[in-house]
């Protein structure tokens, strides 16, 4: 099940420099199943962007289903601006709570009266069918939908969608039934218990978290949740991931980050692990089934999701590698069972019932992985559907059937943590590393021969990054040289760091391909979405880098970065080439020396 956030703000759209990261558009979520059923939840101002994306995809008629939680303005204000409502060949089914007086159609027509909007509801060309909902359980194509009333100032429904063996719950806007629970502490009972049951075991819960408990005393009766309540309910319901949403209009990106940090810290050491994040406009994720089925017996499932009390079984002999894995596991509260050898690990796997197995093998064993002897050696492990990660110096790229993936050394604990999380959350790791290039040794010899690494800042390079930032109108521009294990910054505009590890580097991708690399939106790119430079500061959302050559060897890039998604045209690429050429000229002035 594919999920994308198009609007995450509550109450009022708040575009601006302080809301770039989490977004300023009001509520809208896109859901797509593998059978390509499209369900849109809520029609806040985020719906406009989704409409543009859908209308632009290709010329074929569009159809889909729209679930509206309630008709407060921030959940319907994008409705008149949804382009796919206008062509006559499109078909839409709209679902919303059944009110007492007005019909759904009349309510939606209300905000499109002549006084407010130039086009009337009945002038929209598409075929639109209206469905009024109460608490129910029904089917939309391959999606099972359950609805439950939430506690809000208007009649509001939450939606529980099940498809592709995964479950998503959308619960916004909603206030704790018992005000005592706003602190996240206290006995969950009555209506709150019923709400908890509605969230039970979901792979993803998208929950109202407009206020914090500190703010709540002034907001009682406004119909919204506290962060603490959303976390407590999700934890009690054994949910895998919680997306906090309906961000308060006064909340800046920095304030949201702080709140998420506090929510995460408070649950340290507590099981089950709950993955908490703040929904960000443009962010997408793919949910995969949590409960892995026992092969040959579809009716039997390992009935505790691996996240409930995650256990990592590992046999890793290299001490520094083992340490990195220990650090990564510890950071997420994962228990480790360490075996002395692969054989011991495989022998104990059945009794230990790990959520994940990590095995280190020698270089000369790499080619043997995935052949018969290995399959035999792994015994019942693949049948139990326990993911296996193999640590090695190089990858066996031939087949990928038996093991979940490869961890190629060297790697940081941040990288292995991302990979472990992806395995446990049944998602794909969207962080691709490029650790070497064509002619790596020759390339490094030329770079080191320039004797420019670790030299002080120089105006002749700084003027290039200043120009780059100005031409592209971006907050950050860099001249980067890619060393063996790091990228070092000869010049920076808008960034204080002087280097980062190579494994997080965007530029190493450009250097390896020796071509311009443009990433219009990192959230949408499987190579970068989980990269720490995207998920944490400096939160790169856009990247464009042009290689710099010394002779025939690509040694670095001139690149521009932004915190918002961007498109670039061919003229801009041309200018980036010009800037890279200027950097190359300056590098040539640096006297090469023989090592
Ligand atoms: Zn709202
Ligand atoms: Zn509302």
């Amino acid at each position: 099940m594919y999920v994308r956030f198009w609007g995450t703000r509550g109450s009022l759209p708040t575009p601006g420099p302080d809301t770039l990261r989490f977004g300023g558009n009001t509520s809208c979520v896109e859901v797509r199943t593998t059978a390509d059923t499209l369900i849109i939840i809520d029609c806040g101002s985020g719906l406009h962007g989704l409409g543009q994306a859908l209308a632009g995809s290709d010329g074929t008629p569009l159809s889909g289903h729209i679930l509206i939680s309630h008709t407060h303005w921030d959940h319907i204000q994008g409705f008149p601006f949804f382009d796919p409502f206008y062509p006559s060949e499109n078909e839409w089914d709209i679902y919303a709570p059944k009110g007492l007086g007005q019909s759904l159609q009349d309510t939606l027509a209300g905000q499109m009266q002549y006084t407010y909007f130039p086009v009337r509801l009945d002038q929209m060309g598409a075929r639109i069918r209206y469905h009024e909902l109460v608490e129910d359980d029904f089917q939309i194509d391959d999606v099972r939908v359950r609805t439950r009333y939430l506690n809000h100032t208007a009649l509001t429904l939450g939606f529980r969608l099940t498809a592709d063996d995964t479950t998503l719950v959308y619960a916004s806007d909603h206030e704790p039934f018992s005000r005592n629970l706003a602190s996240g502490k206290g006995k969950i009972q009555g209506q709150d218990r019923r709400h908890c049951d509605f969230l039970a075991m979901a792979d993803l819960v998208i929950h109202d978290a407009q206020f914090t408990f500190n703010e709540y005393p002034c907001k009682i009766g406004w119909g919204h949740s506290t962060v603490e309540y959303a976390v407590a309910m999700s934890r009690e319901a054994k949910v895998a991931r919680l997306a906090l949403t309906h961000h308060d209009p006064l909340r800046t990106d920095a304030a949201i980050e702080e709140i998420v940090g506090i929510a995460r810290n408070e649950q340290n050491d507590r099981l089950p692990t709950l993955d908490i994040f703040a929904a960000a406009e443009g962010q997408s994720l793919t949910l995969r089934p949590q409960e892995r089925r026992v092969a040959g017996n579809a009716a039997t499932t390992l009935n505790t999701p691996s996240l409930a009390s995650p256990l990592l079984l590992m046999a890793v002999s290299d001490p520094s590698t083992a340490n990195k894995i220990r650090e990564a596991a510890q950071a997420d509260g994962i228990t480790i069972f360490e075996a002395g050898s692969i054989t011991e690990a495989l022998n104990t796997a059945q009794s230990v019932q790990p959520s994940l197995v990590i095995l280190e093998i020698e270089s000369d064993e790499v080619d043997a992985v995935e052949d018969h002897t290995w399959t035999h050696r792994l015994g019942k492990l693949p049948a139990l559907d326990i993911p296996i990660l193999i640590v090695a110096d190089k990858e066996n790229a031939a087949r990928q059937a038996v093991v979940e993936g490869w961890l190629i050394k060297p790697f940081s604990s941040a990288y292995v943590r991302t990979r472990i999380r992806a395995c446990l959350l049944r998602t794909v790791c969207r962080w691709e590393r490029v650790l070497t290039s064509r002619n790596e040794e020759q390339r490094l010899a030329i770079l080191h021969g320039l004797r420019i690494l670790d030299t002080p800042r120089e105006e002749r390079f700084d003027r290039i990054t200043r120009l780059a930032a100005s031409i592209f109108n971006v907050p950050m521009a860099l001249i980067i040289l890619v060393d063996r294990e790091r990228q070092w910054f000869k010049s920076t505009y808008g960034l204080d760091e002087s280097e980062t590890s190579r494994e997080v580097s965007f530029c190493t991708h450009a250097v390896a391909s020796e071509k311009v690399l443009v990433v219009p939106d990192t959230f949408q790119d499987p190579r970068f979405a989980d990269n720490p430079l995207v998920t944490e500061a400096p939160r790169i959302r856009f990247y464009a880098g042009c290689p710099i050559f010394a002779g025939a060897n690509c040694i670095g890039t001139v690149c521009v970065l932004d915190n918002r998604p961007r498109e670039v045209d061919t003229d801009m690429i041309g200018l980036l080439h010009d800037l890279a050429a200027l950097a190359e000229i300056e590098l040539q002035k640096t006297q090469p020396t023989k090592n």
Side-chain angles (χ1 to χ4, degrees):
M1 192 191 279
Y2 170 86
V3 182
R4 179 165 177 179
F5 298 100
W6 289 88
T8 58
R9 193 61 53 174
S11 310
L12 184 77
T14 51
D18 291 334
T19 57
L20 278 176
R21 170 155 166 68
F22 293 100
N25 279 304
T26 52
S27 304
C28 181
V29 179
E30 172 189 4
V31 180
R32 246 174 226 283
T33 67
T34 48
D36 214 25
T37 304
L38 168 64
I39 293 188
I40 297 167
I41 308 176
D42 275 341
C43 301
S45 63
L47 184 69
H48 176 247
L50 171 55
Q52 297 283 305
L54 290 173
S57 47
D58 57 20
T60 53
L62 291 167
S63 66
H65 305 266
I66 299 179
L67 305 175
I68 298 175
S69 64
H70 63 305
T71 51
H72 273 166
W73 201 26
D74 54 323
H75 298 255
I76 60 165
Q77 66 196 150
F79 191 91
F81 299 92
F82 187 57
D83 282 4
F85 280 151
Y86 292 86
S88 59
E89 62 272 24
N90 293 351
E91 283 188 42
W92 295 96
D93 286 275
I94 298 175
Y95 309 74
K98 179 179 165 59
L100 286 179
Q102 260 185 340
S103 72
L104 167 61
Q105 199 169 344
D106 289 341
T107 307
L108 292 171
Q111 72 163 354
M112 296 178 73
Q113 280 172 22
Y114 181 69
T115 324
Y116 308 114
F117 197 71
V119 186
R120 291 196 318 269
L121 182 70
D122 58 12
Q123 289 175 318
M124 296 199 298
R127 188 156 169 216
I128 301 176
R129 288 174 290 261
Y130 299 90
H131 309 269
E132 298 193 327
L133 300 176
V134 291
E135 285 200 345
D136 203 357
D137 214 323
F138 59 99
Q139 197 80 22
I140 296 178
D141 296 339
D142 55 325
V143 184
R144 190 89 210 145
V145 183
R146 198 189 298 170
T147 56
R148 284 290 176 272
Y149 288 122
L150 302 179
N151 185 28
H152 193 47
T153 53
L155 192 62
T156 302
L157 283 171
F159 303 107
R160 184 183 170 98
L161 312 183
T162 303
D164 302 335
D165 266 347
T166 54
T167 296
L168 158 76
V169 178
Y170 179 88
S172 187
D173 309 3
H174 174 73
E175 182 162 352
F177 288 99
S178 162
R179 284 167 193 171
N180 296 330
L181 283 173
S183 65
K185 300 187 179 82
K187 194 167 188 290
I188 300 169
Q189 51 195 354
Q191 291 291 315
D192 291 298
R193 169 56 60 190
R194 193 165 178 266
H195 182 62
C196 193
D197 292 343
F198 184 54
L199 312 183
M201 308 294 282
D203 298 274
L204 174 66
V205 167
I206 303 170
H207 204 285
D208 179 357
Q210 182 153 358
F211 305 125
T212 62
F213 177 56
N214 271 343
E215 296 159 344
Y216 186 63
C218 309
K219 313 286 182 184
I220 291 171
W222 291 32
H224 293 289
S225 290
T226 60
V227 176
E228 290 85 348
Y229 175 80
V231 171
M233 298 304 274
S234 300
R235 176 188 308 291
E236 177 71 14
K238 295 192 166 53
V239 166
R241 310 182 83 175
L242 167 64
L244 305 172
T245 194
H246 211 272
H247 308 309
D248 191 83
L250 293 173
R251 196 88 71 206
T252 62
D253 288 339
I256 292 174
E257 269 163 31
E258 197 185 319
I259 288 169
V260 172
I262 293 169
R264 282 182 182 157
N265 281 342
E266 276 184 357
Q267 69 155 0
N268 257 355
D269 306 331
R270 290 179 57 189
L271 293 173
T273 306
L274 169 66
D275 185 35
I276 304 168
F277 62 99
E281 193 176 313
Q283 180 183 16
S284 64
L285 42 146
T286 302
L287 308 180
R288 286 164 62 193
Q290 267 189 54
E291 298 179 353
R292 297 194 156 228
R293 281 151 179 74
V294 174
N297 186 358
T300 321
T301 58
L302 300 171
N303 53 12
T304 35
S306 52
L307 267 185
S309 47
L311 180 73
L312 165 63
L313 170 61
M314 72 179 217
V316 173
S317 47
D318 175 41
S320 106
T321 305
N323 249 339
K324 282 172 186 149
I325 298 172
R326 283 183 207 115
E327 268 174 48
Q330 206 170 20
D332 276 329
I334 297 165
T335 313
I336 306 184
F337 188 97
E338 295 196 37
S341 67
I342 295 181
T343 310
E344 190 195 325
L346 296 175
N347 287 341
T348 44
Q350 196 127 22
S351 56
V352 172
Q353 288 255 338
S355 328
L356 169 68
V357 177
I358 299 183
L359 305 173
E360 183 181 18
I361 60 169
E362 299 298 327
S363 308
D364 55 4
E365 291 177 297
V366 167
D367 290 336
V369 175
E370 316 240 356
D371 74 10
H372 293 316
T373 41
W374 255 86
T375 314
H376 185 73
R377 212 173 159 194
L378 293 175
K380 291 193 174 144
L381 215 50
L384 288 170
D385 230 348
I386 297 164
I388 304 165
L389 290 175
I390 302 279
V391 175
D393 292 322
K394 57 174 185 175
E395 185 169 339
N396 175 347
R399 279 169 293 161
Q400 291 288 330
V402 179
V403 300
E404 178 88 9
W406 294 73
L407 280 165
I408 305 306
K409 293 189 285 188
F411 50 77
S412 63
S413 67
Y415 181 71
V416 71
R417 185 179 177 192
T418 307
R419 293 289 303 271
I420 291 173
R421 288 172 71 100
C423 281
L424 296 179
L425 293 166
R426 309 291 184 225
T427 60
V428 179
C429 172
R430 297 179 302 169
W431 175 7
E432 226 173 76
R433 305 178 309 154
V434 174
L435 300 176
T436 57
S437 257
R438 184 180 69 87
N439 296 339
E440 176 75 356
E441 294 307 321
Q442 188 188 333
R443 195 187 71 76
L444 288 171
I446 297 286
L447 172 62
H448 294 163
L450 289 174
R451 302 212 170 207
I452 191 161
L453 293 175
D454 302 310
T455 55
R457 294 188 72 120
E458 289 179 72
E459 173 60 20
R460 61 193 180 110
F461 290 103
D462 288 349
R463 72 167 66 100
I464 298 175
T465 48
R466 217 162 41 233
L467 276 171
S470 165
I471 291 169
F472 282 81
N473 190 21
V474 292
M476 294 167 277
L478 309 165
I479 294 175
I480 287 176
L481 298 169
V482 177
D483 199 2
R484 190 184 296 279
E485 286 177 6
R486 60 173 180 161
Q487 55 175 357
W488 179 78
F489 307 159
K490 176 60 198 170
S491 174
T492 62
Y493 178 92
L495 255 191
D496 292 332
E497 281 78 8
S498 60
E499 63 178 46
T500 74
S501 72
R502 188 168 181 178
E503 93 178 340
V504 298
S505 167
F506 282 55
C507 293
T508 181
H509 290 254
V511 167
S513 70
E514 303 187 346
K515 291 198 188 92
V516 169
L517 172 67
V518 178
V519 184
D521 186 353
T522 53
F523 281 7
Q524 302 305 315
D525 195 308
R527 294 168 296 177
F528 302 109
D530 293 332
N531 185 308
L533 299 181
V534 174
T535 58
E536 293 156 33
R539 304 205 177 277
I540 301 170
R541 192 75 189 270
F542 160 80
Y543 170 94
C546 182
I548 301 173
F549 288 86
N553 294 283
C554 187
I555 55 170
T557 68
V558 170
C559 65
V560 287
L561 315 170
D562 202 346
N563 303 112
R564 70 179 86 179
R566 279 177 178 271
E567 297 288 349
V568 289
D569 58 23
T570 47
D571 290 351
M572 299 302 263
I573 300 291
L575 288 167
L576 198 58
H577 272 290
D578 290 341
L579 291 162
L582 290 176
E584 281 174 9
I585 290 168
E586 292 305 327
L587 280 171
Q588 279 161 17
K589 291 180 191 162
T590 314
Q591 200 57 40
T593 49
K594 290 246 175 293
N595 282 0

